[in-house]
Amino acid sequence: MRRTTMLSALALVLCSVARSVDAQSGGTSSASPAPDATTSRLMQRLHALAADSMEGRRAGTPGAARARRWLIAELRAIGVEPMGTSYEHPFVIRTRNASPDTNGVNVVARIKGTAGSGPALVLSAHYDHLGIRNGEVFNGADDDASGCVTLLMIAERLMRERPTHDVILTFFDAEESGLQGARAFVANPPLPLSTIGMNLNLDMVSRQDAGALWVAGTSHTPMLKSVAESAANGARVTIRFGHDTKDLKPGDDWTNSSDHGAFHARGIPFLYLGVEDHPDYHKAGDEAHKVDPTFFRGTMEYAYALLRRVDAALPDIARARRTP
Ligand SMILES: [Zn+2]
């Protein structure tokens, strides 16, 4: 998700109208050159997490549990340690109607920084999506398997090129039902909130329909603008800034539209990376084969460059915290 609940509901209604069109679209760019090993790995992981076997990864379902097992197996293979005694951090998902509350589970890991002290960076994405509706699997390749896969790729690099500050890798659950995994994280954090210098959140980072990757959050923490701009030098994708001011029409201010909203509510600076809505947003057509590998690789590279810049500036960023 990345929109208001009302707009999401509207999208789901529209979705049923557009479904027959979706089923006929698709296909890959067969003229592209053969991808390098890193891009292949990126796409391989995207196809794995956005596969039908994950059943749309709806929070509280066996499909979400399967996705979680896959994520943890990847983290173990990369050599990233759990945050605390387990990768799994359960919480209760509150439902709005009469159906009973269910359990959600955030997956949290930590890569220790070389400094050994100081603020930590929470790098996040959400692994849940919309599940199966009317017999169709909503695979959520862009939303947000793309963010989760980017986190894994970044984790692999950070194990070779250690960050200065601790990086807390967080794969949130139940984002689609109101940022519940992120809200549970800040309500019962596995490290003191005062030590979280910033949240860098990735949600929908693989589709190039609108041709650009947006960086939101700099209007709330102006010093982050130069940090994010410096990381954009040499970027392989177009980087735009905005979607974070109140003067925008409803739905265009993304300040509270994904998990970074839970950190913002606690006064913690954030940057959010994401693309504009596309024709498959919250539809069964959000499939891995519609992702352009070159664009996705470009956003992954930007996210990594940004993380390194943020890591270097983290003590200054942490001092920019607001009192909520
Ligand atoms: Zn999302």
Side-chain angles (χ1 to χ4, degrees):
M1 165 174 137
R2 219 260 326 283
R3 289 296 175 273
T4 64
T5 305
M6 192 178 294
L7 288 175
S8 299
L10 178 62
L12 286 171
V13 172
L14 293 173
C15 147
S16 61
V17 177
R19 193 171 292 136
S20 59
V21 178
D22 281 346
Q24 293 159 24
S25 61
T28 54
S29 49
S30 55
S32 313
D36 62 282
T38 301
T39 306
S40 295
R41 189 85 187 101
L42 178 70
M43 291 303 295
Q44 187 186 3
R45 282 181 163 142
L46 183 71
H47 278 275
L49 187 55
D52 283 351
S53 59
M54 302 294 182
E55 300 173 341
R57 310 187 301 276
R58 183 180 163 86
T61 67
R66 189 183 181 94
R68 196 157 59 240
R69 286 196 297 274
W70 182 85
L71 283 169
I72 291 169
E74 291 287 304
L75 289 168
R76 283 208 174 97
I78 293 167
V80 184
E81 294 177 354
M83 179 77 209
T85 55
S86 168
Y87 294 102
E88 299 190 294
H89 293 231
F91 63 95
V92 175
I93 299 173
R94 310 281 175 198
T95 51
R96 287 179 190 172
N97 50 32
S99 55
D101 293 340
T102 53
N103 281 327
V105 184
N106 293 328
V107 174
V108 192
R110 175 167 60 179
I111 297 174
K112 286 190 176 162
T114 54
S117 63
L121 168 70
V122 174
L123 177 63
S124 60
H126 71 91
Y127 72 90
D128 70 300
H129 193 54
L130 301 173
I132 300 174
R133 296 183 175 188
N134 298 326
E136 285 193 298
V137 185
F138 283 57
N139 282 319
D142 186 45
D143 185 9
D144 181 29
S146 67
C148 294
V149 165
T150 302
L151 258 58
L152 293 174
M153 301 296 288
I154 288 175
E156 230 159 29
R157 278 198 200 172
L158 290 178
M159 294 303 285
R160 296 194 301 269
E161 305 160 4
R162 288 277 175 163
T164 303
H165 302 95
D166 285 9
V167 174
I168 315 298
L169 294 159
T170 310
F171 302 84
F172 287 122
D173 197 0
E175 190 272 357
E176 301 286 6
S177 47
L179 322 184
Q180 293 203 44
R183 293 190 204 284
F185 181 96
V186 297
N188 188 18
L191 69 168
L193 273 193
S194 60
T195 65
I196 299 176
M198 195 188 125
N199 170 228
L200 174 55
N201 184 40
L202 280 60
D203 188 358
M204 299 170 61
V205 294
S206 67
R207 289 280 295 242
Q208 68 150 348
D209 302 54
L213 180 71
W214 286 86
V215 179
T218 61
S219 83
H220 301 290
T221 314
M223 70 157 296
L224 284 173
K225 184 78 181 286
S226 61
V227 174
E229 277 176 342
S230 65
N233 289 331
R236 305 180 192 186
V237 293
T238 303
I239 305 295
R240 298 220 164 94
F241 294 88
H243 279 299
D244 55 9
T245 49
K246 286 191 173 131
D247 57 311
L248 298 168
K249 67 176 191 280
D252 279 354
D253 177 2
W254 297 346
T255 298
N256 295 304
S257 295
S258 180
D259 291 318
H260 53 268
F263 292 86
H264 178 64
R266 303 290 177 135
I268 298 169
F270 76 90
L271 285 177
Y272 161 68
L273 303 186
V275 297
E276 291 276 3
D277 278 4
H278 47 73
D280 293 309
Y281 171 68
H282 276 204
K283 291 179 189 167
D286 184 1
E287 299 273 13
H289 71 80
K290 292 188 182 172
V291 167
D292 174 359
T294 305
F295 180 82
F296 189 21
R297 173 72 186 279
T299 69
M300 188 269 276
E301 295 293 344
Y302 177 70
Y304 184 72
L306 178 57
L307 181 139
R308 302 289 335 186
R309 300 276 181 165
V310 162
D311 182 34
L314 201 58
D316 290 336
I317 296 167
R319 280 191 283 274
R321 285 175 75 108
R322 293 175 300 112
T323 303

